[in-house]
Amino acid sequence: MDGYGRMTIETANAVLDDEYARSHDDVRPGQYVLVAVTDTGSGIAPEVLEHVLEPFFSTKREGKGSGLGLSMVYGFLKQSGGHLKIYSEVGHGTTMKIYMPRTMQVEDSLVDMTIVPTKGGTETVLVVEDDDAVRETSVALLGDLGYRVLKARDAQSAFTIIDSGVHVDLLFTDVVMPGPMRSTELARKAKALFPGMAILFTSGYTENSIVHGGRLDAGVELLSKPYTREALARKVRHVLGNAAQHRIAPA
Ligand SMILES: Nc1ncnc2c1ncn2[C@@H]1O[C@H](COP(=O)(O)OP(=O)(O)O)[C@@H](O)[C@H]1O
Ligand SMILES: [Mg+2]
């Protein structure tokens, strides 16, 4: 606009129909949210318009334009399933219409976790962890939250405890530990004996790497290390709640 003129920014809900989609092959018909930016500038000549979305294309003089503005807008829109339409008249101005797929989902509200009181419980948790410091920390945290806590340093001794018939509501076990029995085997055998027992794995590995690495099956509950007191408290309530639900209505 060369320093003067009027720029108008508008927003609206919009529908791109079948007919429009037929003549624009990147468009899926449906509901969109439209942001339109209109200026009363120089306009874009048709031979320039053909190139404006190309990265580094600029008609501005050396050192002025980067040629990246529109190509980035376009890239972002493509990634998001959106659509860009440019209307321009040389000597009058330009309208850029940015269409983004409309969602009907309710906006996520951010919950301030620090103001939600951390919930504990009185169930019995068996903590299985080979690292002494980590084990003592989780035992202390869980004890502090009100739980009855039992502990073992490997899968084998954990199984001895479970097999002895001591009541355990939650088996909270590290994934990779030394010893002849694997944590997955421990979980399987514990479940076979006590189907109502909740199982929560913990690991320094991320959930994706551990599931994809084949160390755990998809769908198991995993708490990534290091975890906060709040994260531990929340996850423990979550798995205990799920186990209780399954006892009422077995899957
Ligand atoms: N509102 C507009 N009016 C006229 N021409 C435009 C407008 N927006 C973009 N153009 C043309 O498209 C080219 C590329 O735009 P852009 O990717 O933003 O890069 P840059 O502005 O850095 O040159 C510009 O150099 C210009 O020729
Ligand atoms: Mg620009």
Side-chain angles (χ1 to χ4, degrees):
M1 283 195 295
D2 250 345
Y4 57 90
R6 183 188 296 270
M7 177 185 277
T8 309
I9 302 175
E10 296 160 87
T11 59
N13 290 320
V15 173
L16 297 180
D17 60 15
D18 291 331
E19 200 180 37
Y20 188 87
R22 260 196 296 280
S23 50
H24 298 81
D25 41 69
D26 64 327
V27 173
R28 248 190 287 169
Q31 299 203 37
Y32 288 81
V33 171
L34 167 66
V35 178
V37 183
T38 301
D39 65 46
T40 56
S42 61
I44 310 175
E47 63 274 17
V48 173
L49 193 56
E50 278 175 47
H51 301 288
V52 293
L53 301 181
E54 293 167 11
F56 305 112
F57 174 84
S58 180
T59 56
K60 296 175 187 165
R61 63 183 166 77
E62 190 74 31
K64 262 291 193 181
S66 68
L68 288 175
L70 289 177
S71 66
M72 283 172 70
V73 167
Y74 187 69
F76 165 74
L77 277 173
K78 286 294 99 192
Q79 279 171 29
S80 319
H83 172 63
L84 176 68
K85 184 73 181 178
I86 306 175
Y87 299 92
S88 194
E89 299 257 8
V90 175
H92 292 274
T94 302
T95 296
M96 304 254 177
K97 287 191 168 179
I98 294 171
Y99 293 91
M100 288 167 281
R102 184 175 174 192
T103 176
M104 298 298 171
Q105 280 171 0
V106 184
E107 184 185 359
D108 281 345
S109 58
L110 292 174
V111 179
D112 184 354
M113 286 302 179
T114 55
I115 61 166
V116 179
T118 310
K119 245 180 95 191
T122 54
E123 290 94 334
T124 301
V125 183
L126 171 57
V127 177
V128 193
E129 166 69 61
D130 58 311
D131 186 308
D132 292 341
V134 175
R135 187 180 57 251
E136 290 320 308
T137 306
S138 19
V139 166
L141 283 174
L142 288 165
D144 210 42
L145 287 162
Y147 295 102
R148 225 188 122 221
V149 190
L150 307 172
K151 53 187 174 178
R153 55 158 27 98
D154 57 43
Q156 188 85 63
S157 34
F159 185 69
T160 309
I161 295 174
I162 292 169
D163 198 35
S164 77
V166 178
H167 179 77
V168 173
D169 296 290
L170 168 65
L171 171 64
F172 179 43
T173 178
D174 190 22
V175 176
V176 184
M177 288 175 294
M181 189 189 274
R182 287 158 56 103
S183 58
T184 42
E185 192 188 345
L186 166 65
R188 201 167 41 244
K189 290 174 99 168
K191 258 310 205 205
L193 283 176
F194 304 101
M197 193 183 293
I199 316 266
L200 174 58
F201 288 96
T202 178
S203 176
Y205 296 97
T206 63
E207 183 154 2
N208 281 326
S209 75
I210 217 154
V211 171
H212 293 150
R215 291 188 194 86
L216 285 181
D217 297 331
V220 299
E221 296 283 0
L222 179 83
L223 178 65
S224 280
K225 289 187 224 173
Y227 43 78
T228 61
R229 177 189 144 93
E230 280 67 33
L232 174 67
R234 226 177 307 129
K235 195 74 175 181
V236 164
R237 282 299 354 136
H238 170 73
V239 292
L240 282 170
N242 277 353
Q245 219 161 32
H246 279 247
R247 281 197 295 276
I248 297 162

